[in-house]
Amino acid sequence: MKVAVIEGDGIGKEVIPAAVDVLNAVNLDFEPVPVEIGYGKWERTGLAMDDADLELLRSCDCILFGAITTPNDPNYQSVLLRIRQELDLYANIRPFRPLGITMDIPCQPKPFDIIIVRENTEGLYAGIEDVNRNRACSTRVVTRKGCLRIAKTACKLAKGRGNSITIVHKANVLKSCGFFKELCIEVANENGVRYDEMLVDAMAYSLVLDPGRYDVIVTTNLFGDILSDLCAALVGSLGLCPSANIGDKYALFEPVHGSAPDIAGKGIANPLAAILSAKMMLEWVEEFEKAELVQSAVDNVLQKGLRTADLGGTASTNDMANAIVEYIRSVQ
Ligand code: NAI
Ligand code: MG
């Protein structure tokens, strides 16, 4: 299996090598294919990603992705959005649950186990934008095909869990949301999955107060992006939250967080989000035992009290990654 490895920028360069070490530790049979994409390349060449990079990505089975710093240039088009669209990675799957960590944060983690299923190729991130001196317009695209396939993905996930989905929208204001909601309901009914629905603003409020109420959340691109960071705060840190971008042919695995320029280069980033993204890759290739091993390694080092700075501790990125690898070796 060929895995394209895009470290990207900032802490991407620190956490992705840790995830690759973990894939090696569980003896995954894979060939890493380094692909240089991102801000560094943009500075040198004026392009953060070229067509050859995209072809290289297409020649691999899947992608492990760090994060890319967005250049301060009004003409810049997001590389990640382009990859998601070109490879048709329509389902962004983001699991959130507390990893047994109690922290002194305003929203104390309560028991919850949520998966956000975010439409990943259209909505307000469709890339249809028009800006002139007096007006800026971003077109929100919601298609029947896009709604049906994301709703089916959510229902499929729900079947293995509580058999219910929450459809999150803003249909009281946006007709495109009404369209999304109705199609999600149609798919839920066809699949015998229970559903409820929430307006996105009420959902933000409710998730903070009572996250345990929710199971599989299906929503459009921008809302899913925003609610993901809210859920990451409930978990305790962006540094703990992995994600998968899945299409019918390709898949890309990445931490929810960005390149974190405020801590980049210090060796203190939490690598667990990237490591758990690698675990999601193992599940995608149906290496379930290896995936379980990674999860138990993460649980074990956290139970032992190892903490990076985002979790109030002093462990470095390497301390955390090494502890995970050592645990895996010790039980093999
Ligand atoms: P961010 O996710 O990079 O950082 C937000 C906050 O969380 C920062 O205080 C950061 O230090 C902290 N944080 C994030 N990951 C952490 C980790 N693994 N360990 C410890 N602390 C962590 O979001 P921000 O600051 O809004 O964006 C920074 C850059 O990243 C921007 O250029 C943005 O466009 C880009 N970005 C890229 C993404 C991607 O490539 N997938 C996703 C989100 C942002
Ligand atoms: Mg985001």
Side-chain angles (χ1 to χ4, degrees), residues 96-108:
F96 297 95
R97 63 188 176 83
L99 292 168
I101 296 175
T102 312
M103 288 167 56
D104 184 20
I105 55 170
C107 313
Q108 278 295 326

Side-chain angles (χ1 to χ4, degrees), residues 11 67-70 80 238-239 254 257-263 270 310:
I11 62 168
I68 286 181
T69 301
T70 311
L80 185 57
L238 269 167
E254 53 158 348
H257 63 72
S259 58
D262 53 339
I263 58 165
N270 188 341
D310 55 320

Side-chain angles (χ1 to χ4, degrees), residues 94 118 225 229 256:
R94 298 182 153 182
R118 161 191 176 197
D225 193 4
D229 278 26
V256 172

Side-chain angles (χ1 to χ4, degrees), residues 77-122:
Q77 292 237 306
S78 164
V79 164
L80 185 57
L81 290 199
R82 182 159 175 225
I83 295 173
R84 286 170 174 164
Q85 283 167 358
E86 295 265 359
L87 302 186
D88 204 19
L89 305 173
Y90 59 85
N92 191 191
I93 315 279
R94 298 182 153 182
F96 297 95
R97 63 188 176 83
L99 292 168
I101 296 175
T102 312
M103 288 167 56
D104 184 20
I105 55 170
C107 313
Q108 278 295 326
K110 299 168 188 164
F112 61 87
D113 185 354
I114 291 169
I115 300 185
I116 293 185
V117 180
R118 161 191 176 197
E119 201 295 319
N120 217 18
T121 51
E122 47 184 49

Side-chain angles (χ1 to χ4, degrees), residues 147-159:
C147 295
L148 293 179
R149 63 185 185 176
I150 199 66
K152 280 181 192 155
T153 304
C155 288
K156 204 170 154 197
L157 276 168
K159 290 256 177 204

Side-chain angles (χ1 to χ4, degrees), residues 208-240:
V208 171
L209 291 182
D210 195 8
R213 248 178 81 183
Y214 299 102
D215 184 356
V216 174
I217 294 168
V218 62
T219 191
T220 47
N221 209 334
L222 172 67
F223 297 162
D225 193 4
I226 296 170
L227 293 180
S228 296
D229 278 26
L230 185 153
C231 287
L234 295 175
V235 170
S237 169
L238 269 167
L240 295 171

